[in-house]
Amino acid sequence: MYGKALECHDFVIPGKVFSKRRSNKESVPDKNLRDVTLHHIIRKDGKTYANEIKAFDDKFKANPERIHFKEIKNYKQLIGKAMKEEIPKYDVILCTTAVATSASLLDATKGSIYQVLIDEAGMCTEPECMAVIAATTAKQVVLIGDHKQLRPVVICEESAELGLQKSLFERYAETKRSYLTFLSLQYRMHPGLCEFPSNKFYEGKLRTADSPKWMTKTPLGLWTNPKYPYVFCHTEGEEEYLAYTTEEGNEMSRYNSKEVEQVVSIFSHLVKTEKIKWENINVMSQYNAQCHQIRLALKKHKFDFVNVNTVVASQGGEWDYVIFSLVRSLPEYRIEPEPTLGWCKENLGFITDDHQINVALTRARKGLFVIGNRNLMACEKAFLEEMLEHFKKNNCIVEASNFLPKSSSKSKTRVT
């Protein structure tokens, strides 16, 4: 069951305008799900109101400028009747939290909903979850998610600081641990990739099961430690600004040209030398401008339609190999010897968000490349310094300039 905006994508209502999220691939209804999509079901032959609804659809399409508001009102009432008749026929309704509180759904179910399951509950604000629970009066509620990964997106900083960024899932996980069921066995990642996130975020409880997803007969020759298929490529680049258009409007975002070059080099090596398929690689950054510059650079090297995403957009995805560009950088003389929290927030930005970093570190199945300035990253004592120590302990920090094999030499220079 979709919201009104997506319903109108398939069946346009004259004069009705919804904002379009250009960057959102999911902003159109899935054609493969039409047989189980409510606004298509009510139009199927044999349904009580199908002929009347389709007559309106044809009229709206033929003469959108000549439609009177009363006709639109009658059309909406007809849709409401059709939905009210159809919804009670089903045991399971799949929808967003917003649709779950809509009048059309609540009127059709009339308190008959027994159980509510909210997926990705760690990304829902408390009001989003509470509204669904209160509106449906469900007897049983199941929250599914990971409060250690992405939190709710709250644009207003004041609201976030006052607690709106803490989800109901996270609040229960912290205060009602007896209610929490932890799925301790993961099948996605190589155990070497799993080790640090498990110890840092999940009290060492996350274990790895054998799975063809991460198991490989021939590990890449790039790894400095075969047991740990990842590297931190130390790069001292320079931050630059770029105006970038998002669904919220124009914003000033950051990019790092030197890291872009390193991303392209690693990507090219994986595809051309290691024979990795493009679709099995994801390039990530927390900055839209960096993603934009990486796409342009890859396109110049004839790599089109490559997976280049922000960390937020990568949530829920998984790829064999991930290249993660941190972007933020300062020359060593500008790095404070004893940085304050305020200094770190100003000079590291998104990188200090351990929820996002956790997402970035757990998207890869077989191998991870992190590109950044280790000197600056080490300033963040709560998380990044610990991550770097883990990389260093396993001999997985390298100089980016000497990392990839050259025709004259196959050696890699490790940073100690």
Side-chain angles (χ1 to χ4, degrees), residues 235 237-240 255-263 290 293 327:
T235 307
E238 183 179 347
E239 293 179 22
E240 299 176 74
Y255 70 98
N256 185 318
S257 296
K258 199 166 184 179
E259 290 191 18
V260 171
E261 292 174 8
Q262 187 64 22
V263 167
Q290 184 75 346
Q293 295 297 97
V327 179

Side-chain angles (χ1 to χ4, degrees), residues 164-181:
L164 190 59
Q165 201 169 30
K166 178 172 284 191
S167 65
L168 183 65
F169 186 98
E170 183 175 354
R171 198 174 297 281
Y172 266 105
E174 291 179 349
T175 60
K176 303 284 186 181
R177 292 185 67 85
S178 60
Y179 292 12
L180 188 67
T181 299

Side-chain angles (χ1 to χ4, degrees), residues 118-365:
I118 303 178
D119 193 18
E120 293 290 2
M123 293 182 66
C124 297
T125 63
E126 274 191 292
E128 283 181 294
C129 287
M130 292 302 295
V132 174
I133 295 168
T136 60
T137 63
K139 296 176 178 63
Q140 190 178 82
V141 178
V142 180
L143 304 179
I144 303 170
D146 184 351
H147 62 293
K148 297 294 185 179
Q149 297 210 352
L150 292 187
R151 304 180 89 186
V153 177
V154 179
I155 304 299
C156 177
E157 290 186 14
E158 290 81 2
S159 298
E161 290 172 1
L162 288 170
L164 190 59
Q165 201 169 30
K166 178 172 284 191
S167 65
L168 183 65
F169 186 98
E170 183 175 354
R171 198 174 297 281
Y172 266 105
E174 291 179 349
T175 60
K176 303 284 186 181
R177 292 185 67 85
S178 60
Y179 292 12
L180 188 67
T181 299
F182 180 70
L183 304 181
S184 60
L185 204 59
Q186 66 90 16
Y187 297 83
R188 174 194 296 162
M189 296 178 287
H190 186 285
L193 295 172
C194 179
E195 184 177 302
F196 178 74
S198 175
N199 292 334
K200 180 62 182 176
F201 298 107
Y202 306 107
E203 302 174 350
K205 295 177 181 178
L206 191 60
R207 296 177 291 112
T208 302
D210 287 347
S211 169
K213 282 189 173 185
W214 62 262
M215 298 174 78
T216 177
K217 293 181 180 178
T218 310
L220 299 184
L222 292 172
W223 308 129
T224 54
N225 185 339
K227 291 184 179 180
Y228 295 93
Y230 53 69
V231 291
F232 186 98
C233 299
H234 173 59
T235 307
E236 295 185 28
E238 183 179 347
E239 293 179 22
E240 299 176 74
Y241 288 91
L242 178 70
Y244 189 83
T245 302
T246 68
E247 59 193 62
E248 284 83 25
N250 293 329
E251 66 174 33
M252 291 301 293
S253 186
R254 300 171 191 264
Y255 70 98
N256 185 318
S257 296
K258 199 166 184 179
E259 290 191 18
V260 171
E261 292 174 8
Q262 187 64 22
V263 167
V264 173
S265 296
I266 293 174
F267 188 93
S268 180
H269 177 86
L270 290 176
V271 172
K272 293 181 178 180
T273 304
E274 305 288 351
K275 307 302 180 185
I276 307 298
K277 294 181 179 179
W278 298 8
E279 59 267 28
N280 292 332
I281 305 170
N282 186 47
V283 180
M284 278 192 296
S285 175
Q286 289 164 291
Y287 290 89
N288 282 312
Q290 184 75 346
C291 290
H292 176 70
Q293 295 297 97
I294 289 170
R295 289 189 194 100
L296 291 179
L298 287 170
K299 196 169 185 178
K300 287 181 181 178
H301 287 76
K302 309 300 182 184
F303 295 125
D304 294 319
F305 310 110
V306 175
N307 297 313
V308 181
N309 300 292
T310 62
V311 172
V312 173
S314 299
Q315 167 83 335
E318 56 183 79
W319 296 266
D320 284 353
Y321 298 95
V322 167
I323 306 171
F324 180 34
S325 173
L326 294 169
V327 179
R328 303 306 294 265
S329 187
L330 284 175
E332 198 162 0
Y333 73 88
R334 289 185 56 193
I335 297 176
E336 291 286 339
E338 296 183 9
T340 63
L341 289 175
W343 188 92
C344 286
K345 186 174 181 180
E346 180 182 349
N347 291 282
L348 286 161
F350 295 134
I351 309 301
T352 60
D353 185 339
D354 56 351
H355 294 268
Q356 287 201 31
I357 298 297
N358 185 22
V359 172
L361 296 180
T362 54
R363 297 307 95 199
R365 303 183 190 110

Side-chain angles (χ1 to χ4, degrees), residues 37-49:
T37 299
L38 185 60
H39 64 269
H40 283 282
I41 291 174
I42 60 176
R43 288 171 166 83
K44 285 184 176 180
D45 292 341
K47 295 297 180 181
T48 306
Y49 302 96

